[in-house]
Each structure stands twice: as structure tokens, then as C-alpha cells.
Amino acid sequence: MKKGKKLYEGKAKIIYSTSDKNLIIQYFKDDATAFNNQKKSTIEGKGVINNRISEHILLSLSEIGIKNHLIKRLNMREQLVKLVDIIPIEFVVRNIATGSLTKRLGIEDGTVLEKPLIEYCLKDDKLGDPLISREHITTFNWLDSANLDFIDKNLKRLNDYLLGMFRAVGIKLVDFKVEYGFTHESGKKEIILADEISPDTCRLWDVITDKKLDKDRFRKNLGDLIPAYTEVAKRLGILHEQSNITAVNVTKLSSIKKKK
Ligand code: TMP
Ligand code: ASP
């Protein structure tokens, strides 16, 4: 599989073509952004950990029949994935109220929701990814109602599975954002999960202390992002001795750099 030219550079990832027209390479950068790119930084080692965590989660999803774009991880920062036409909607699932939900509706931070809440946002940075309703989605033909029903069901299954997976390692899955796309393979258009699932795209709190183990550490200037992401990877049983040492070195490296 030969790596081709850069097709697209996003805020946290770069996409490259490959010698197979249906496959692309997804490269995880160390860049962190928040509030629609208004806050930016580079956090050394973040891309490496997210690559591993997302690989772990997407592989387990394949095992339970939640179809996704991952073919395999290629190296520390890259994955071979299926090319999809991304649906221009960010699908957010919430189990506990926090973040934009609390600001928008005045719901108390930390309120446990009686059932998972699904929200849709239009994927458009220029507009600030505005919240949209099901009616907007069907009116503007971003997706038809049958496909939207399919995704809603998929999101509920995904949420159930992820809740259990994180709960088993002492982590509350507060909320997450995912993206879906249409595959190109053999003329058959199928909706599959794409992008990534990592502490960049989920809110993860320790079950006992409620310590934030996700990108809120960056958004809220809490510091220690790499140790938090490493903690998630360790609890999920991903980091082995060797990569564990790498993560620790990365932490030391970034603190040395900051001191300079
Ligand atoms: P929010 O509370 O800021 O709307 O975020 C909800 C969830 O979506 C949270 O887990 C963070 C994630 N998210 C992204 O992955 N990318 C984004 O651009 C935004 C705004 C949120
Ligand atoms: N990734 C988004 C951005 O930079 C926002 C976020 O994750 O909070 O704009």
C-alpha cells in the first residue's frame, strides 16, 4: 500500500491518498484546538495516544458489528481507513449534562440524563457548527429520514457499548461526538462510522473523583493532558511496557520544552 499525496488537512488529522482509490491514510497530529479553532496548541504525543485509543475502540466496535472505516493501524501516527463521503453532521450523544448543553439551556453541570440525548450539529466551521434539528436535516436533504433512523439506532448501540467499556475501567462516558460517511465500495452506498473516537472527541470522567480525562483539560486550561490520555489508554489495557515508557518520556519532554 503506497502513501500518496495529501488530500486534506483538518484541525487534528491529515488525510493522504493511497494506491487503492477506496482507501486513505489518516495521520494523527499533535495539534489541539478548541472553541472553533480560537484556542490552539501543540501537545507532543497526543496524536500517538489518540491513534492507539481510537484503533482499540474501532476494532472492538467491528467485533460487535458496528461497521466503521478502520482497516488497520499502520504505525505510531497513521491508520489505513476506508474512504467515505462524510455526512456533514456532527452526532453528539450525552449521558451527563456538561459543556455546551449546560450553557445553551441552563441545565446544571453534572446532571445525569434519564436517557441518552442525541444532538445534531451542522459540520461547518464558518458557521461555528450550529445545532440543528431532525427537520433541518431532512428539509435540506443532508440525510433522508431512513438513514437518520439508522444512525440514531447505531448511536444508541454505540453509546451502550462505550458506556460499558469505559465503566468497566472506572470511567464515566459523559458525552461524545462521532461522524458517519457513505462508503464507495462496489457501487454500494453504505453508512459506516468514520473519523475517530478518542479523549479528543469524548468527555471521560473518573468514576470516583470525577477527574476529567479528556480534551476539557486543554479547553479549560487544566494541564496534564498527556498523563490523562495515558491513564485512559492504560486503563483500557492498550499501553504495554514499551509504549508506556514512551508516553512518560513524552510528558517529560513537553514539560522540559515549556520550561525553556
Ligand atoms: P459540547 O458540549 O462542546 O457541545 O461537546 C459535546 C461533545 O462533542 C464532547 O464530547 C466534545 C465533542 N466535540 C468534538 O469532538 N468536537 C467539537 O468540535 C465539539 C464542539 C465537541
Ligand atoms: N475541535 C473543535 C475546535 O477546534 C472544538 C472542540 O473540540 O471543543 O474547534
Side-chain angles (χ1 to χ4, degrees):
M1 182 62 52
K2 269 178 67 188
K3 185 170 168 183
K5 63 173 197 298
K6 192 201 267 193
L7 296 176
Y8 169 80
E9 178 155 3
K11 286 179 286 211
K13 291 187 293 292
I14 307 175
I15 302 297
Y16 296 92
S17 65
T18 71
S19 43
D20 181 329
K21 66 174 174 32
N22 290 320
L23 302 178
I24 51 170
I25 289 170
Q26 177 167 264
Y27 175 99
F28 286 76
K29 301 196 285 183
D30 283 341
D31 296 352
T33 67
F35 316 117
N36 204 12
N37 226 0
Q38 288 178 48
K39 183 177 158 88
K40 286 186 211 177
S41 190
T42 303
I43 303 170
E44 217 165 326
K46 178 176 81 74
V48 174
I49 306 180
N50 279 349
N51 184 17
R52 295 293 298 269
I53 294 177
S54 196
E55 174 204 21
H56 175 84
I57 295 177
L58 266 51
L59 286 179
S60 8
L61 293 178
S62 294
E63 279 170 20
I64 60 149
I66 297 185
K67 292 187 181 175
N68 62 75
H69 71 165
L70 182 67
I71 306 285
K72 63 172 178 181
R73 183 169 61 83
L74 297 172
N75 53 48
M76 295 282 273
R77 289 192 182 268
E78 293 177 325
Q79 300 180 345
L80 184 65
V81 302
K82 289 183 184 172
L83 173 69
V84 295
D85 283 330
I86 283 284
I87 296 164
I89 296 167
E90 299 199 336
F91 297 89
V92 174
V93 182
R94 301 180 186 272
N95 298 302
I96 298 175
T98 193
S100 70
L101 176 68
T102 55
K103 292 198 191 88
R104 227 184 304 125
L105 303 177
I107 310 292
E108 194 182 338
D109 199 285
T111 307
V112 177
L113 306 177
E114 269 178 36
K115 60 186 180 81
L117 172 68
I118 296 179
E119 288 180 340
Y120 314 104
C121 296
L122 182 64
K123 206 171 138 56
D124 187 326
D125 282 346
K126 276 185 257 125
L127 300 175
D129 299 339
L131 186 73
I132 49 174
S133 70
R134 195 183 166 94
E135 293 282 289
H136 289 108
I137 296 174
T138 51
T139 299
F140 300 111
N141 293 315
W142 291 318
L143 212 53
D144 65 30
S145 55
N147 281 330
L148 196 47
D149 287 345
F150 168 82
I151 291 182
D152 280 355
K153 262 199 206 143
N154 199 276
L155 286 169
K156 283 181 188 145
R157 249 194 99 202
L158 175 61
N159 185 51
D160 276 349
Y161 181 77
L162 293 179
L163 269 174
M165 179 177 153
F166 282 115
R167 177 58 68 151
V169 296
I171 294 173
K172 288 186 213 171
L173 175 66
V174 174
D175 56 28
F176 62 92
K177 183 269 305 183
V178 283
E179 297 181 23
Y180 289 85
F182 287 99
T183 56
H184 287 238
E185 283 164 327
S186 60
K188 178 178 82 166
K189 275 198 148 198
E190 187 182 23
I191 293 181
I192 60 170
L193 193 66
D195 195 46
E196 70 176 282
I197 300 182
S198 72
D200 264 15
T201 59
C202 300
R203 283 201 178 91
L204 305 168
W205 294 354
D206 179 84
V207 222
I208 296 167
T209 62
D210 274 351
K211 181 180 172 186
K212 296 180 199 311
L213 301 171
D214 57 69
K215 204 168 103 176
D216 269 355
R217 302 212 69 83
F218 170 71
R219 295 189 189 97
K220 294 172 175 281
N221 298 319
L222 299 172
D224 287 341
L225 180 135
I226 294 292
Y229 283 34
T230 305
E231 176 71 26
V232 173
K234 270 202 220 162
R235 290 202 201 175
L236 291 173
I238 299 166
L239 285 184
H240 304 297
E241 209 70 4
Q242 193 55 38
S243 31
N244 206 339
I245 292 164
T246 311
V248 171
N249 285 345
V250 160
T251 319
K252 282 186 187 152
L253 237 172
S254 41
S255 62
I256 291 164
K257 277 198 159 179
K258 259 184 238 151
K259 278 179 206 148
K260 273 190 188 165

